[in-house]
Amino acid sequence: MSIAKSITVNESAGITFLEVDNAYATGKISLYGGHVLSFIPKSDQKERLWLSPHAYLNGERPIRGGIPICWPWFSDDHGKEKGTLPSHGFLRSQVWQLQQSEDLDDATRILLTPSFSRGDGFEYDCQVTLELLVGATLEVTLHTKNTGVIPFVFNTALHTYFEVPDIGNTSLTGIHGNYKDKTDNWAVKATPMPYTISGETDRIHLTAIPEVIINDSDTPLTSVSSSGHDSVVVWNPWQGAASISDMDAFGFKHMLCVETAFTQGCEVAPGDTHSITQIISPA
């Protein structure tokens, strides 16, 4: 298989990394987890993704930061006792394979597949493909095809960690409707206006919001567009970051997760494919 000229393949600590450098952006992808680690548009040279300086980049555990792939369940919503199955599913802790790459006129296109998509907690026949377009924008699409003879239901998320200059000056626009607040026993609440972050935040917004803007003070910084989803998740651990072993105690000041998600059950009929997409671009 030939590899696109814009891609350099490197290995470190047993993990293979794809480094993309084209006319529009640079990016870095780990084949462990099928995990995007970096996206820097050349239009403004600003890193859009936050990666923990203490992230495990040796395959010992899922990577903290970038864009983890949650599949086939979100959080611990797998129907079994908490802790019996891995949080956020089993795709983010396995090695993925590069199936195809090519240089297009306006982006580098990459197709990745996991080692397996059938496992404890999800025993259905399906094919999962991660499609990446690295250009002036970063387009991330997770395709789930039902290759079996019966329908199945799953949940998923593109659990993106965004780099922000200062969480105290960060706000979100575009979010509306109600959300479920995990920090308050899943109470249903109305979206705050203005939407700022001033403490531990773990919210599932139960609306297919098409675009969220991350603002630095009053200046739009990053646009997050979504499709194929039913929810948007907003997360920042705040001072709880100190209890997360692969996160700096003050790391919460420079990150905010805005996740394109399907949390209310996506049913896929035999032969059908569901695709969830997040597009990240300068605002």
Side-chain angles (χ1 to χ4, degrees):
M1 178 186 63
S2 61
I3 296 177
K5 292 182 179 180
S6 63
I7 297 176
T8 302
V9 180
N10 294 308
E11 291 193 8
S12 176
I15 294 181
T16 301
F17 299 95
L18 308 179
E19 300 202 31
V20 179
D21 189 347
N22 58 34
Y24 304 97
T26 61
K28 186 174 183 179
I29 299 105
S30 164
L31 292 191
Y32 175 74
H35 200 125
V36 182
L37 304 177
S38 172
F39 172 61
I40 304 175
K42 292 186 175 179
S43 60
D44 64 8
Q45 293 293 338
K46 292 182 179 180
E47 175 65 76
R48 285 324 197 271
L49 303 180
W50 179 86
L51 180 66
S52 172
H54 301 302
Y56 286 80
L57 297 175
N58 57 8
E60 287 187 6
R61 64 175 67 181
I63 298 169
R64 174 75 62 185
I67 309 180
I69 303 297
C70 305
W71 187 101
W73 54 80
F74 181 76
S75 187
D76 294 297
D77 187 19
H78 42 59
K80 297 187 179 182
E81 185 177 348
K82 183 177 180 179
T84 58
L85 293 173
S87 180
H88 292 316
F90 48 76
L91 290 191
R92 66 192 186 119
S93 58
Q94 60 178 275
V95 176
W96 292 54
Q97 286 78 45
L98 174 62
Q99 298 295 345
Q100 184 181 342
S101 64
E102 58 181 329
D103 290 319
L104 307 176
D105 290 340
D106 58 354
T108 301
R109 180 173 180 264
I110 298 169
L111 293 181
L112 304 176
T113 57
S115 298
F116 60 89
S117 56
R118 180 177 182 145
D120 191 12
F122 187 83
E123 298 180 353
Y124 299 97
D125 295 320
C126 69
Q127 178 182 354
V128 176
T129 305
L130 181 65
E131 180 177 7
L132 304 173
L133 290 171
V134 183
T137 67
L138 172 63
E139 183 171 331
V140 182
T141 302
L142 189 70
H143 305 284
T144 301
K145 181 177 181 179
N146 186 340
T147 58
V149 296
I150 60 172
F152 60 72
V153 177
F154 75 105
N155 285 318
T156 186
L158 304 172
H159 192 312
T160 309
Y161 290 71
F162 288 95
E163 177 93 26
V164 297
D166 182 351
I167 193 63
N169 295 327
T170 300
S171 65
L172 300 175
T173 51
I175 300 181
H176 55 84
N178 293 332
Y179 68 89
K180 295 197 301 184
D181 190 344
K182 186 177 179 180
T183 69
D184 190 13
N185 198 30
W186 296 111
V188 176
K189 302 178 181 179
T191 294
M193 297 292 178
Y195 201 131
T196 57
I197 308 296
S198 58
E200 182 183 0
T201 303
D202 197 347
R203 301 167 177 170
I204 300 178
H205 293 269
L206 302 171
T207 307
I209 298 160
E211 184 182 28
V212 177
I213 302 296
I214 302 173
N215 306 286
D216 177 28
S217 296
D218 294 326
T219 303
L221 178 63
T222 302
S223 167
V224 186
S225 298
S226 304
S227 61
H229 62 312
D230 71 354
S231 310
V232 169
V233 179
V234 178
W235 180 71
N236 182 293
W238 209 251
Q239 293 181 355
S243 64
I244 300 175
S245 63
D246 54 356
M247 190 169 177
D248 183 89
F250 300 102
F252 73 91
K253 294 184 177 182
H254 302 291
M255 55 74 60
L256 180 63
C257 285
V258 179
E259 310 167 33
T260 300
F262 216 114
T263 65
Q264 299 169 77
C266 180
E267 181 171 314
V268 185
D272 287 352
T273 299
H274 174 267
S275 300
I276 188 169
T277 298
Q278 183 179 83
I279 301 174
I280 300 167
S281 60

